[in-house]
Amino acid sequence: MPLREPPLNAVRAFVAAARHQSFTRAAIELHVTHSAVSRQIKSLEECLGVALFERRIRQVALTAEGQQFFAEAGPAIAQIHSAARALQAQGPARAVRINVRPSFAVRWLIPRLPLFVERYPEIEPQVVTSTVMPEQAAGSFDIAVRRGLEGWPPSIEVRPFLEDEVLVVGAPALFKAHPLSDLRALASHVQLSARTRKEDWDAWKKHVGAPRAKPAGRLQFDHLHFVLQAAVDGLGIALAPTSLVAHDLASGRLQSPLPALRMPLNRYYYGLSPDAAPEAAYVAQWFEEMMGPR
């Protein structure tokens, strides 16, 4: 009976898990879930007919057979990666045009693009910013991202992407000088808004039951990313989609003084053009992974 060839993806998952001595860390390296790594390794063990890991509480350890297999499979996988990188370096990069709104490009997509480029060095993501609906931008993208289901051409299969909410944010120094611990204190702050989202403050106040008091001042900008930069610089408080300020909140550049008072927004959707480059499928797969477990 001929020997079964072990699946390469399963070997790759095994090598990562063996190197880290952890299924969780292997999942992070491979940009997949813990359960996906576990399934791949189980299928490899069934293929080889031996146990490669001892499963313990919150940890795993290589068996003697696992150590033997890792000693030879690890360098083999590394050699395959090296050969692939050498070929990719010789050929031209394959471009994928990603059409997004300017604020989404600046605040969500570009900060995360290094992860995509590291994973797919042979693909050149070209970020195209536009404020028009995808049906009006047809022919100028391989994959597009927009809020809501309106304005998509019938030829595009639209898929759900990020869920989103809006909340109040501002610079830490601003809240240190002028605390915002309750809704009554809103009136002591300058409210920042975008020309394209100037109704957000009224909608949010109605949603959370805030008093309709006149603010200390108002500043309006053309685009939301200018509003968020003004908030970082301490010019006032802003209503920000959580999708666009995650990095700023994590780094401490912005704070949310009223984190529980949020208003739901239309979720994002993405769609591939009917004549999209084949590489756009990798961007779509990456988008799915960026959503995390559902």
Side-chain angles (χ1 to χ4, degrees):
M1 184 176 179
L3 294 175
R4 291 173 56 196
E5 291 288 338
L8 188 58
N9 279 343
V11 176
R12 183 168 171 249
F14 163 77
V15 167
R19 186 169 60 253
H20 292 293
Q21 293 289 291
S22 166
F23 287 9
T24 300
R25 291 179 183 175
I28 293 172
E29 176 186 321
L30 300 174
H31 304 284
V32 298
T33 63
H34 179 284
S35 60
V37 170
S38 181
R39 287 195 302 271
Q40 290 278 22
I41 292 174
K42 184 177 180 181
S43 71
L44 181 61
E45 290 176 324
E46 291 174 351
C47 176
L48 298 176
V50 296
L52 299 172
F53 284 97
E54 294 178 13
R55 275 75 166 175
R56 302 171 182 171
I57 298 175
R58 297 185 180 177
Q59 63 178 358
V60 293
L62 286 168
T63 62
E65 292 82 4
Q67 292 174 3
Q68 179 184 349
F69 189 62
F70 178 55
E72 299 192 31
I77 289 293
Q79 186 175 355
I80 291 172
H81 288 173
S82 178
R85 282 193 294 269
L87 286 177
Q88 290 163 1
Q90 295 174 12
R94 296 170 289 176
V96 176
R97 297 165 300 167
I98 308 172
N99 187 300
V100 295
R101 293 182 65 91
S103 298
F104 190 84
V106 171
R107 293 282 170 172
W108 191 93
L109 181 58
I110 292 174
R112 292 168 174 79
L113 267 186
L115 296 173
F116 180 85
V117 173
E118 180 182 4
R119 183 170 177 180
Y120 300 106
E122 73 282 6
I123 298 177
E124 177 188 321
Q126 296 180 351
V127 180
V128 181
T129 61
S130 172
T131 58
V132 302
M133 295 293 190
E135 62 186 359
Q136 297 172 285
S140 65
F141 65 85
D142 294 299
I143 186 168
V145 178
R146 289 294 188 278
R147 284 195 191 278
L149 292 168
E150 295 183 3
W152 291 91
S155 58
I156 291 181
E157 179 188 353
V158 181
R159 304 172 190 175
F161 191 22
L162 303 173
E163 294 183 330
D164 214 357
E165 300 170 305
V166 71
L167 77 171
V168 177
V169 298
L174 177 66
F175 296 134
K176 186 175 181 179
H178 304 283
L180 180 50
S181 57
D182 57 50
L183 293 172
R184 291 172 298 176
L186 285 169
S188 64
H189 286 271
V190 174
Q191 292 180 1
L192 309 175
S193 63
R195 179 176 52 82
T196 53
R197 303 190 64 91
K198 54 189 177 183
E199 297 85 11
D200 277 3
W201 275 109
D202 288 340
W204 177 83
K205 288 179 180 179
K206 182 178 180 181
H207 182 77
V208 302
R212 295 180 61 85
K214 184 177 179 181
R218 293 186 177 93
L219 288 175
Q220 190 175 102
F221 301 84
D222 282 345
H223 297 291
L224 182 58
H225 54 282
F226 296 149
V227 172
L228 298 180
Q229 186 58 52
V232 168
D233 292 335
L235 291 177
I237 59 175
L239 283 176
T242 55
S243 62
L244 304 188
V245 291
H247 277 66
D248 296 294
L249 293 173
S251 68
R253 279 158 45 94
L254 289 174
Q255 288 182 351
S256 178
L258 305 168
L261 301 181
R262 305 183 178 209
M263 180 179 72
L265 293 174
N266 286 339
R267 78 179 299 161
Y268 285 100
Y269 292 82
Y270 74 87
L272 278 72
S273 170
D275 57 352
E279 291 74 25
Y282 293 102
V283 179
Q285 178 183 336
W286 182 64
F287 281 169
E288 294 285 338
E289 293 171 1
M290 287 294 100
M291 286 191 284
R294 286 171 289 171

